[in-house]
Amino acid sequence: MLKPAVHPALMSNPDTITAVKGFRDVLPDETRRWRLLDEAAARVFGRYGFEEIGLPIVERTELFARSIGDTTDIVEKEMYSFADRDGTSLTLRPEATAGVVRAYLESGLAQRDPTARLYYRGPMFRRERPQRGRYRQFHQIGVEAFGREDPLVDAELLVMLTRYLDDVGARDTRLELNSVGDAVCRPVYRERLRAFGTARLAELCPDCHRRLERNPLRILDCKVESCRRVVASAPVVLDSLCDGCRAHLDAVRALLEQESVPYTMNPRLVRGLDYYTRTAFEVVGATLGAQNAVGGGGRYDGLVAALGGPDVSGIGFALGVERLAMVVPAEVGAEIPPAVAVLPLAPEAVGPAFGLATRLRDAGLSVALEPAGRSVKALLRAADRRRARVAFILGEDELRAGRATIRDLVRHEDRRQALALDAPSAVLAETVRSMLGGDA
Ligand code: AMP
């Protein structure tokens, strides 16, 4: 279970409204880390020709039913679906690939730029049982590359993924790779799996009985313990690959090996979604416990056509931001830009203090402006809470002389330097930067 994050002072108050179970706030210590993850995505994915696409959070339910598949856990039990006022069934997106494909078709990109490379980021919604690393609203950064079937693209994406993980300093992750076959060999494998499961029916859960009929591949990611035991000795798709899929996989592997990208083959890796073909992969975090998938993806050569588009292939991946944040070192995003405090001692100092703060901010500095009328000690404590490293103090003496006193709050020395209150932005900024010694 998730630890209740409610402050004890609120728990006892019956009027308190808390967040919905599985939905969490992302506080500044975490958003700062997330921003770096976002910036790295723009930087690294940009080198591979990916541009960002913004998508709606709500789509027609049908989009997910058709793309993800009626027999998946997501569509069967995890979607937040509701009827709009006109009766249309809408769903909070559980993932973004279907939305990207819809946009690719609807916007005409499929004709204008059939090999479009797009990345997205944002919240996804699945009504799973909340636990550490698993939430009902979570966030993904993901990419999709359309219109190319050649193994070069698979390899480019995998190299890009490892470069991204390196760039953000992700630790203790490994890349697992598999091929799940295509329209030629997957049906053969499906039948092998069905025959295998049917022979062990008594050991499988009722859900898996249904899966065996409708979509036997689903038994591979059943979470019931007895099913997992059975599945451990199930035939693997890798042994059923047709020549085309085998050659494709070999080519991807050769390119990865050429660039010394570390990965392990995992013949049991099947992705939870129905539309995957050939290349499937996952990034696993060794330190994450039960919810150890940091990200995953693969090829989906039949999806665009299944959503009414041309027969265009696609490949992509999605990283879970909450989990990514757990595998990057604590220092990432820990640093807060140094701030400057402007501390008016007397009420008359408010106007000049406001002007000073505005000009410092115009010069690009982060300024904490405190209210007037408190003691120097109280003001300095407030400046400290704001993590200010330099303070401008405006007391009566300073006002009379038209000069601020500047105090170095880091060295805790009374290094004072008088400065005209109406000094231009550039002069103020230069003074602060010289005191911060290149940190600003
Ligand atoms: P998927 O779309 O299921 O392939 O998920 C891709 C990634 O999203 C996973 O590897 C996780 O990092 C993340 N993810 C999926 N579901 C959740 C969830 N309920 N809570 C947090 N992260 C999730």
Side-chain angles (χ1 to χ4, degrees):
M1 267 310 298
L2 285 178
K3 267 200 303 224
V6 184
H7 193 275
L10 289 182
M11 294 266 272
S12 55
N13 184 345
D15 291 336
T16 304
I17 298 172
T18 58
V20 178
K21 182 178 165 191
F23 290 73
R24 57 193 282 278
D25 305 304
V26 186
L27 298 180
D29 278 344
E30 203 171 344
T31 56
R32 230 180 296 116
R33 286 160 78 69
W34 286 25
R35 190 161 63 233
L36 295 182
L37 300 176
D38 282 346
E39 286 166 4
R43 188 169 58 241
V44 178
F45 299 168
R47 292 179 202 150
Y48 292 76
F50 285 82
E51 291 208 273
E52 185 169 0
I53 181 168
L55 297 164
I57 283 169
V58 173
E59 299 273 4
R60 292 171 196 278
T61 302
E62 198 191 335
L63 177 71
F64 303 112
R66 227 200 292 166
S67 61
I68 302 174
D70 294 336
T71 59
T72 52
D73 279 358
I74 293 183
V75 173
E76 276 186 346
K77 36 190 170 185
E78 294 170 2
M79 294 205 304
Y80 282 95
S81 300
F82 57 96
D84 198 357
R85 284 170 195 269
D86 65 2
T88 317
S89 178
L90 303 180
T91 295
L92 298 184
R93 64 179 184 192
E95 56 95 50
T97 301
V100 178
V101 173
R102 181 202 46 70
Y104 170 76
L105 295 174
E106 192 173 340
S107 67
L109 267 182
Q111 280 79 41
R112 275 201 315 282
D113 186 13
T115 57
R117 295 183 164 203
L118 303 165
Y119 81 89
Y120 60 84
R121 59 208 166 89
M124 309 292 155
F125 304 84
R126 296 182 197 171
R127 200 172 193 289
E128 299 187 87
R129 202 170 53 77
Q131 62 183 82
R132 183 181 137 82
R134 190 162 77 191
Y135 311 102
R136 291 179 170 180
Q137 174 176 332
F138 60 96
H139 297 74
Q140 289 185 336
I141 297 178
V143 311
E144 314 292 348
F146 292 102
R148 294 263 308 265
E149 277 174 47
D150 54 306
L152 204 52
V153 183
D154 307 50
E156 267 188 288
L157 239 68
L158 289 165
V159 173
M160 178 173 91
L161 176 55
T162 59
R163 292 297 189 270
Y164 175 74
L165 293 171
D166 288 346
D167 189 283
V168 299
R171 285 204 277 237
D172 300 318
T173 59
R174 65 169 188 280
L175 177 64
E176 295 188 348
L177 181 66
N178 196 18
S179 172
V180 296
D182 65 3
V184 177
C185 52
R186 218 156 119 140
V188 179
Y189 173 65
R190 193 174 295 139
E191 286 320 306
R192 286 183 66 196
L193 198 58
R194 181 174 283 140
F196 167 85
T198 311
R200 318 259 315 243
L201 215 51
E203 298 157 76
L204 295 173
C205 74
D207 273 351
C208 278
H209 290 182
R210 210 160 32 84
R211 290 176 180 132
L212 273 184
E213 267 173 42
R214 294 177 64 185
N215 185 355
L217 252 69
R218 295 267 73 77
I219 70 167
L220 297 176
D221 45 29
C222 180
K223 292 169 188 104
V224 174
E225 196 43 51
S226 57
C227 296
R228 290 170 80 117
R229 271 198 303 275
V230 173
V231 159
S233 59
V236 294
V237 60
L238 213 47
D239 294 334
S240 298
L241 295 185
C242 62
D243 291 347
C245 287
R246 166 77 46 204
H248 191 274
L249 175 63
D250 289 346
V252 174
R253 296 186 62 177
L255 290 166
L256 293 181
E257 275 147 35
Q258 178 193 302
E259 296 308 313
S260 308
V261 173
Y263 71 93
T264 48
M265 286 305 293
N266 176 357
R268 303 203 172 273
L269 174 70
V270 288
R271 306 274 309 140
L273 312 181
D274 267 356
Y275 49 69
Y276 285 98
T277 51
R278 294 193 165 168
T279 308
F281 52 93
E282 211 159 78
V283 175
V284 177
T287 55
L288 287 185
Q291 300 303 317
N292 66 357
V294 174
R299 198 163 255 297
Y300 47 86
D301 289 347
L303 179 64
V304 181
L307 290 176
D311 188 13
V312 167
S313 57
I315 177 168
F317 63 74
L319 293 158
V321 179
E322 285 80 358
R323 296 199 199 156
L324 197 54
M326 290 178 189
V327 298
V328 301
E331 307 87 80
V332 173
E335 189 136 333
I336 298 175
V340 177
V342 175
L343 311 176
L345 279 176
E348 313 84 85
V350 164
F354 189 59
L356 193 57
T358 301
R359 265 169 294 124
L360 285 164
R361 287 168 174 154
D362 288 345
L365 292 156
S366 167
V367 177
L369 177 61
E370 292 298 320
R374 283 180 293 167
S375 68
V376 182
K377 205 168 141 208
L379 283 171
L380 287 174
R381 221 180 302 123
D384 200 46
R385 259 200 306 279
R386 296 275 144 235
R387 286 177 266 227
R389 317 232 316 236
V390 171
F392 286 68
I393 301 167
L394 276 68
E396 279 172 20
D397 291 350
E398 282 83 1
L399 282 185
R400 222 171 296 119
R403 308 170 83 76
T405 297
I406 311 177
R407 186 169 293 182
D408 185 326
L409 300 174
V410 179
R411 293 171 188 88
H412 292 292
E413 39 181 57
D414 246 7
R415 191 178 129 186
R416 291 173 187 228
Q417 180 181 341
L419 189 75
L421 290 180
D422 56 358
S425 281
V427 174
L428 291 169
E430 188 41 46
T431 307
V432 172
R433 293 204 167 100
S434 73
M435 290 181 75
L436 291 172
D439 284 349

